[in-house]
């Protein structure tokens, strides 16, 4: 039988997928080299801005764009290009390095813009089909397909690793772009790849993103609670060894000095 085409889905959402062009300040290493050069008495050379590109997607028709923090961090200028040829300057409303999410506001928007909505990443199952759209290597509106390969994947990116893993093709420039379900909802933000592998990409789940958007929009940062304890899963084998009746849950393994948990003491 003929396989169904994804063209209707792609046509319905691609207008909200954007390319982001960034000029960034030189790295601290390059600035240090410049300072050492100047101390030697030579003329101070002009340090060119570093040019970069990434992807993003519009979540509000008035011009709110989501992308990766690492795409826009340190940006001096930020230009957002739409599929219909329009381009807007952007300003960063908020950044959260721990989840690698940033919120950008487009300037001087007239009328309404195409937008997509964040779906329920928790409803996605291993093997569900997904579609990635982005700007890999500057090739705007590139589409790739695959499945959800794993969920809750920890890759050592931060303390808040909770990535969706997909085999949809993701390359440099896809960062910040959307990962769609076949319903047309964004269920993840494409963020990272395994450099030495093929078909191993990672996306920030949409449910993680939805939880922090209000803080990014209101204050520009994300504030989180902190207990200051180390925990591990309580397995049936561990419960038996400890002689406790519970078979699942969390086991406190350590308490950080000076943490709220230590100050609270034990019950």
């Amino acid at each position: 039988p003929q396989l169904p085409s994804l063209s209707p889905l792609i046509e319905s959402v691609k207008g909200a997928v954007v390319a982001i062009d960034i000029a960034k300040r030189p790295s601290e290493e390059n600035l240090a080299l410049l300072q050492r050069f100047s101390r030697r008495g030579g003329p101070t050379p002009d340090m060119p801005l570093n040019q970069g590109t990434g992807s993003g997607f519009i979540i509000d028709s008035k011009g709110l764009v989501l992308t990766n923090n690492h795409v826009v961090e340190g940006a001096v200028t930020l230009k957002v290009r739409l599929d219909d040829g329009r381009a807007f300057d952007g300003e960063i409303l908020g950044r959260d390095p721990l989840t690698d999410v940033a919120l950008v506001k487009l300037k001087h928007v007239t009328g309404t813009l195409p937008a997509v909505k964040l779906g329920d990443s928790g409803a996605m199952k291993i093997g569900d089909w997904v579609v990635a759209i982005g700007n890999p290597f500057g090739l705007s509106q590139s589409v790739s397909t695959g499945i959800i390969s794993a969920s809750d994947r920890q890759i050592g990116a931060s303390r808040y690793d909770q990535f969706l893993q997909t085999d949809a093709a993701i390359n440099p420039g896809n960062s910040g772009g959307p990962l769609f379900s076949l319903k047309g909802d964004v269920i993840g933000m494409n963020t990272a790849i395994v450099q030495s592998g093929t078909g191993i990409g990672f996306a920030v789940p949409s449910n993680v993103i939805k939880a922090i958007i209000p803080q990014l929009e209101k204050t520009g940062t994300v504030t989180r609670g902190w207990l200051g304890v180390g925990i591990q899963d309580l397995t049936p084998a561990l419960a038996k060894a400890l002689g406790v009746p519970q078979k699942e849950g969390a086991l406190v393994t350590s308490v950080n000095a000076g943490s709220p948990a230590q100050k609270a003491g034990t019950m």
Side-chain angles (χ1 to χ4, degrees), residues 147-153 163-167 199-203:
I147 62 171
I148 295 294
S149 305
S151 60
D152 294 322
R153 186 69 85 191
F163 291 100
L164 297 174
Q165 182 181 328
T166 178
D167 65 349
I200 304 176
F202 303 97

Side-chain angles (χ1 to χ4, degrees), residues 12 20 23 50 55 111 131 146 154 231 241 261:
S12 69
I20 301 177
N50 297 323
S55 304
V131 175
Q154 297 182 4
I231 61 173

Side-chain angles (χ1 to χ4, degrees), residues 92-96 103 211-224:
I92 302 170
L93 288 185
R95 299 188 299 107
D96 181 35
L103 185 64
I212 64 174
I213 285 178
Q215 288 193 67
L216 290 178
E217 191 171 3
K218 184 176 180 179
T219 67
T221 59
V222 176
T223 302
R224 297 177 172 89

Side-chain angles (χ1 to χ4, degrees), residues 30 33 43 63 83 94 109-110 112 118 140 159 166 171 186 198 203 207 236 244 250 264:
N30 287 338
L33 289 173
D83 182 45
V109 173
T110 57
T112 59
L118 293 168
S140 61
R159 298 196 303 270
T166 178
N171 292 284
V186 178
T198 302
N207 288 355
V244 296

Side-chain angles (χ1 to χ4, degrees), residues 43-54:
T44 302
D46 293 331
M47 183 67 74
L49 296 175
N50 297 323
Q51 305 296 319
T53 186

Side-chain angles (χ1 to χ4, degrees), residues 121-203:
S121 56
M124 299 299 292
K125 305 298 183 183
I126 308 303
D128 282 349
W129 288 99
V130 289
V131 175
I133 306 179
N135 187 42
F137 300 107
L139 301 171
S140 61
Q141 296 295 319
S142 292
V143 179
S144 59
T145 64
I147 62 171
I148 295 294
S149 305
S151 60
D152 294 322
R153 186 69 85 191
Q154 297 182 4
I155 62 173
S158 79
R159 298 196 303 270
Y160 295 94
D161 277 15
Q162 194 180 343
F163 291 100
L164 297 174
Q165 182 181 328
T166 178
D167 65 349
I170 298 174
N171 292 284
N174 272 116
S175 291
L179 189 67
F180 290 102
S181 71
L182 294 189
K183 295 180 180 179
D185 296 336
V186 178
I187 52 87
M189 177 191 292
N190 301 318
T191 298
I193 58 176
V194 174
Q195 293 287 353
S196 58
T198 302
I200 304 176
F202 303 97

